[in-house]
Amino acid sequence: MTKEELWEAVLAQIKFKISKANFATWFRNTEIIDKKGNAIIISVPNAFSKEWLEQKYNKFILKILHNLDREIKEVKYVISHGQPKKQETEDLSVSDIVPDQLELEEYKINKLTNINPRYTFENFVVGPFNEMAHAAATAVTKNPGRIYNPLFIYGGVGLGKTHLLQAIGNKIIEDFPEKTVRYIPAERFISGIVNSIRNHDIESFKLEYQKVDVLIIDDIQFLAGKEKTQEEFFHLFNSLYERDKQIVLSSDRPPKAIPSLEERLRSRFEGGMIADIGLPDYETRLAILKTKIKQKGTNLPEKILSFIASNIKNNIRELEGALNRLVAYQKLNNKTPTLEVAQSLLKNLIQGPKKVITAKQLIKTVAEFYDLKEKDLLAPSRKKEVVKPRQIVMYLLREELKYSYPAIGRKLGGKDHTTIIYGCEKISKELEKNESLAEELRLIRQRIVSG
Ligand code: ADP
Ligand code: MG
C-alpha cells in the first residue's frame, strides 16, 4: 500500500465514525507524509488541528493504522507549511475555509505590558470621525501624565478604541523605554481584584499597579455595578493621578452613561480629556481597506473595495472581516474574485440581520463540535470534557442570543444562575489568553451561522 492508499483507507474508516462536519474540520488537508520505523508522520494544516488530532483522535487513528499495518506503533503530527491541497475543478467556497487561519498572527502580545505590537499609530487611519481621539492620543504620548489625564476615549464596537489605546502604549514604550506601561481589559482588571480579595492578596495586587507609569484600561464600562472594584480603582486612580502617572480609559459610552458608576469616579473620568470615535465616512472606510490590503501584501480591484466600503458602514472590524474573506478566497483559489463572486462571498456579512438561531440549534452545534451528545451537555456531569463545552454553551447563549443567566440555567437542565455567571466569565477570561479556545469558538460560531 502506498502512503496515499494507506491514508485513504484510514480516512474511509474515520468517516464512518464521526459526523460529517467534524470530519471536514479535522481531516481536511491531512496526509501521510512519511513512515519512519514504526511511526507514521501525518501532516496537518495548522497548530490547532495538530493539537486536536493529538488529543482527541490519536488513539483512534493509531488503532486503525495498526489494524491495517501491524508494524505501525506510533503516529506523529507535523504542521505543513505548504499550500493546502486544492480541489481540482471547483473553487473553495467561503464556508470551506477559515479566513483567520490563513492570517496566523505573527505578532506576540507582550506578557508584561499586555500590548500587541500590531496596533500602532502608523497603521491607524485618521478621518473626521476619529481625528479628535487620535489627536488626544498622540498628545498623550508626547508627554505622558502631563497633558490630558485621564484620557477617556469612547465609541461603539469595532471602531478602533482598543487599537488606539494600544497604539498609545506602543508609542510610549518606544519613546520612553524607562516607563512601565500596562494595558488591561477592564474585565480582567475586575477579575484580578475579585480574585485577590478572595485570596487575601489585594495589597500586592494594588502595589503592582501602583508601580506603573502608564495605566491603560479598556472597556471601563464593565465597572458598572461592581462596587468593590470601583472602590479599589478609585484609590488606585488617585494614587497614580497624584504622581502624574498617565491613565487612559476606553468605554462604549461616555462616563455619564455608565450605569451605577460611583459619582466620585465619574467626576474623575470627566476631569481629563474625553474624546469620542464616531462612524467612519465612506472615504475613510475605503482608506482603511486600502491600508489593510497593503499590509496583507496583496491587492483587490478598486470596484471591489468600493463595494465593501459602501456596504459595511458601522464597524471597522467587519470591514476587515470582509476583506479577510476575499483575501482568503484569493489565496486558496489563486485568483482574484470578480465583483459578482465578491458579492456572493460577502452576502451574509452585508445582508442586514443575522440569521436567527434557536438555543436548541446552538446546543446541538456545540455538542457536535465536541463530539458529545446533547444530553451530555444537559446532564449534571462534572467530567472535564463536558464541563468546558457546557460553559461554551452558556457563553454563546449569552453572547449570541442575549439570554438572561436564569434562562440559560433553565435551558441547561435547571442550573443555578450563579453557576451560569461563573461559566460565562470563565470562558470570556480564558478567551483572552487561550488562542486555541478562541479558534474553537470561531469555528463553532461559523457553524452556527452557516446552519
Ligand atoms: P473597538 O476596541 O473599538 O471595538 P478595535 O480597536 O478592536 O475596536 O478595532 C477593530 C478592528 O478595526 C481592529 O482590527 C483595528 O485594527 C481596526 N481599526 C479600527 N480603527 C481603525 C483605523 N482608524 N485604522 C485602521 N484600522 C482600524
Ligand atoms: Mg476593544
Side-chain angles (χ1 to χ4, degrees):
M1 237 196 275
T2 65
K3 290 183 307 213
E4 288 77 19
E5 286 163 349
L6 182 60
W7 192 231
E8 234 161 66
V10 174
L11 292 181
Q13 294 194 35
I14 294 175
K15 219 173 195 164
F16 273 117
K17 293 279 166 63
I18 67 177
S19 73
K20 216 173 136 197
N22 271 337
F23 184 78
T25 307
W26 305 117
F27 293 93
R28 185 197 297 281
N29 294 322
T30 55
E31 59 183 336
I32 293 181
I33 48 170
D34 205 359
K35 187 174 171 210
K36 283 199 180 126
N38 293 330
I40 285 287
I41 321 286
I42 295 173
S43 88
V44 299
N46 54 51
F48 184 49
S49 304
K50 176 172 185 282
E51 201 184 313
W52 195 268
L53 292 183
E54 278 168 349
Q55 289 179 3
K56 187 120 176 163
Y57 291 110
N58 183 48
K59 261 196 204 150
F60 186 44
I61 296 171
L62 180 59
K63 198 168 138 204
I64 300 174
L65 277 167
H66 184 71
N67 282 339
L68 292 165
D69 177 348
R70 294 281 158 192
E71 273 185 7
I72 300 169
K73 303 247 160 57
E74 192 187 354
V75 185
K76 288 184 183 152
Y77 304 85
V78 297
I79 301 168
S80 80
H81 292 285
Q83 285 283 313
K85 264 200 278 177
K86 276 200 294 170
Q87 286 157 351
E88 293 296 333
T89 48
E90 257 176 89
D91 284 352
L92 286 164
S93 76
V94 164
S95 59
D96 288 335
I97 55 180
V98 186
D100 292 1
Q101 270 179 253
L102 298 168
E103 299 275 309
L104 280 183
E105 285 286 349
E106 293 296 328
Y107 296 109
K108 288 249 173 339
I109 296 175
N110 182 305
K111 287 222 166 55
L112 289 174
T113 62
N114 273 327
I115 288 181
N116 187 333
R118 78 177 271 243
Y119 295 116
T120 62
F121 281 113
E122 284 73 32
N123 59 25
F124 188 80
V125 178
V126 185
F129 72 110
N130 64 7
E131 66 187 339
M132 182 162 103
H134 175 262
T138 335
V140 157
T141 62
K142 300 248 160 66
N143 203 344
R146 306 263 171 184
I147 300 186
Y148 301 130
N149 208 10
L151 170 61
F152 190 104
I153 290 173
Y154 75 89
V157 280
L159 295 176
K161 301 183 299 294
T162 298
H163 189 139
L164 200 52
L165 259 56
Q166 298 215 16
I168 295 176
N170 276 316
K171 183 76 177 140
I172 296 180
I173 293 168
E174 193 183 320
D175 291 352
F176 302 90
E178 74 287 358
K179 288 201 190 290
T180 315
V181 177
R182 179 71 75 88
Y183 165 90
I184 186 163
E187 282 166 298
R188 222 150 94 198
F189 182 76
I190 295 165
S191 58
I193 289 193
V194 171
N195 289 336
S196 60
I197 291 177
R198 193 182 300 141
N199 302 329
H200 309 288
D201 209 14
I202 184 76
E203 289 313 315
S204 54
F205 180 89
K206 284 200 277 199
L207 269 179
E208 204 188 311
Y209 280 91
Q210 272 159 359
K211 282 192 300 218
V212 307
D213 299 299
V214 179
L215 178 61
I216 305 174
I217 305 192
D218 207 351
D219 290 317
I220 198 84
Q221 74 273 9
F222 289 121
L223 280 189
K226 310 273 182 345
E227 284 166 33
K228 188 66 192 158
T229 310
Q230 288 188 22
E231 185 183 332
E232 296 300 347
F233 183 56
F234 179 73
H235 296 302
L236 174 62
F237 186 105
N238 288 343
S239 146
L240 294 173
Y241 183 82
E242 281 156 14
R243 290 177 289 127
D244 288 334
K245 306 297 186 192
Q246 179 69 46
I247 298 156
V248 182
L249 306 169
S250 85
S251 162
D252 65 352
R253 63 199 85 185
K256 270 203 180 51
I258 302 177
S260 43
L261 181 69
E262 275 188 50
E263 196 42 49
R264 55 182 185 171
L265 261 185
R266 188 190 320 278
S267 69
R268 289 291 184 287
F269 292 174
E270 288 172 345
M273 169 74 168
I274 300 185
D276 79 317
I277 300 184
L279 289 179
D281 51 301
Y282 173 80
E283 284 71 26
T284 319
R285 298 201 295 274
L286 196 59
I288 290 172
L289 288 171
K290 287 183 175 165
T291 315
K292 304 267 172 195
I293 191 110
K294 208 160 145 203
Q295 273 168 30
K296 292 177 202 300
T298 172
N299 209 349
L300 283 169
E302 180 85 16
K303 62 174 192 268
I304 290 189
L305 296 181
S306 88
F307 168 74
I308 306 176
S310 27
N311 283 285
I312 299 182
K313 303 175 176 164
N314 304 329
N315 186 322
I316 298 172
R317 190 175 295 126
E318 282 176 7
L319 211 56
E320 226 179 324
L323 200 61
N324 283 342
R325 265 191 202 194
L326 300 188
V327 171
Y329 172 94
Q330 203 177 29
K331 283 192 189 160
L332 282 168
N333 296 298
N334 247 326
K335 65 178 175 205
T336 298
T338 61
L339 183 60
E340 290 67 39
V341 168
Q343 283 167 339
S344 113
L345 289 173
L346 301 179
K347 209 165 44 206
N348 59 352
L349 270 183
I350 283 167
Q351 271 175 4
K354 279 194 204 152
K355 224 173 89 191
V356 186
I357 57 144
T358 63
K360 190 161 168 32
Q361 287 168 314
L362 192 152
I363 294 171
K364 182 162 170 272
T365 309
V366 176
E368 245 179 47
F369 187 82
Y370 290 101
D371 245 359
L372 297 167
K373 304 219 165 36
E374 278 167 63
K375 66 174 199 296
D376 296 333
L377 288 176
L378 306 179
S381 158
R382 284 174 191 276
K383 273 196 234 136
K384 203 172 132 225
E385 57 273 29
V386 181
V387 170
K388 192 182 91 176
R390 189 189 289 132
Q391 286 172 336
I392 288 176
V393 169
M394 298 174 190
Y395 176 83
L396 288 173
L397 283 173
R398 180 94 185 145
E399 293 281 310
E400 301 294 315
L401 300 185
K402 311 291 174 217
Y403 267 53
S404 72
Y405 294 122
I408 299 174
R410 285 192 295 275
K411 274 279 170 245
L412 290 176
K415 292 204 160 22
D416 191 71
H417 74 281
T418 53
T419 311
I420 308 298
I421 295 176
Y422 174 82
C424 292
E425 281 175 357
K426 179 93 193 288
I427 297 299
S428 71
K429 231 166 48 193
E430 186 74 17
L431 275 177
E432 274 164 15
K433 48 179 202 252
N434 184 338
E435 273 184 34
S436 69
L437 179 66
E439 178 75 337
E440 284 169 39
L441 271 159
R442 258 203 295 284
L443 289 168
I444 292 171
R445 282 192 158 111
Q446 201 181 42
R447 285 185 186 197
I448 290 174
V449 291
S450 63

mmCIF file of all heavy atoms in Angstrom, residues 162 218-219 317, ligand 2:
data_model
loop_
_atom_site.group_PDB
_atom_site.id
_atom_site.type_symbol
_atom_site.label_atom_id
_atom_site.label_comp_id
_atom_site.label_asym_id
_atom_site.label_seq_id
_atom_site.Cartn_x
_atom_site.Cartn_y
_atom_site.Cartn_z
ATOM 1 N N THR A 162 -9.660 49.961 21.039
ATOM 2 C CA THR A 162 -8.550 49.132 21.505
ATOM 3 C C THR A 162 -7.286 49.431 20.697
ATOM 4 O O THR A 162 -6.192 49.537 21.248
ATOM 5 C CB THR A 162 -8.931 47.640 21.400
ATOM 6 O OG1 THR A 162 -10.043 47.417 22.258
ATOM 7 C CG2 THR A 162 -7.785 46.747 21.814
ATOM 8 N N ASP A 218 -9.111 49.131 29.191
ATOM 9 C CA ASP A 218 -10.015 49.084 28.032
ATOM 10 C C ASP A 218 -11.412 48.654 28.484
ATOM 11 O O ASP A 218 -11.541 47.782 29.342
ATOM 12 C CB ASP A 218 -9.457 48.034 27.046
ATOM 13 C CG ASP A 218 -9.854 48.312 25.603
ATOM 14 O OD1 ASP A 218 -10.696 49.200 25.369
ATOM 15 O OD2 ASP A 218 -9.309 47.622 24.711
ATOM 16 N N ASP A 219 -12.416 49.250 27.888
ATOM 17 C CA ASP A 219 -13.812 48.866 28.169
ATOM 18 C C ASP A 219 -14.194 49.034 29.635
ATOM 19 O O ASP A 219 -14.739 48.123 30.261
ATOM 20 C CB ASP A 219 -14.078 47.421 27.713
ATOM 21 C CG ASP A 219 -14.074 47.310 26.199
ATOM 22 O OD1 ASP A 219 -14.658 48.195 25.544
ATOM 23 O OD2 ASP A 219 -13.475 46.344 25.666
ATOM 24 N N ARG A 317 -14.124 46.453 12.298
ATOM 25 C CA ARG A 317 -13.754 45.041 12.407
ATOM 26 C C ARG A 317 -14.445 44.229 11.313
ATOM 27 O O ARG A 317 -13.855 43.342 10.702
ATOM 28 C CB ARG A 317 -14.119 44.506 13.797
ATOM 29 C CG ARG A 317 -13.559 43.125 14.063
ATOM 30 C CD ARG A 317 -13.837 42.663 15.479
ATOM 31 N NE ARG A 317 -13.157 43.501 16.449
ATOM 32 C CZ ARG A 317 -13.762 44.107 17.456
ATOM 33 N NH1 ARG A 317 -15.056 43.979 17.618
ATOM 34 N NH2 ARG A 317 -13.077 44.847 18.296
HETATM 35 MG MG MG B 2 -11.996 47.000 22.110
#
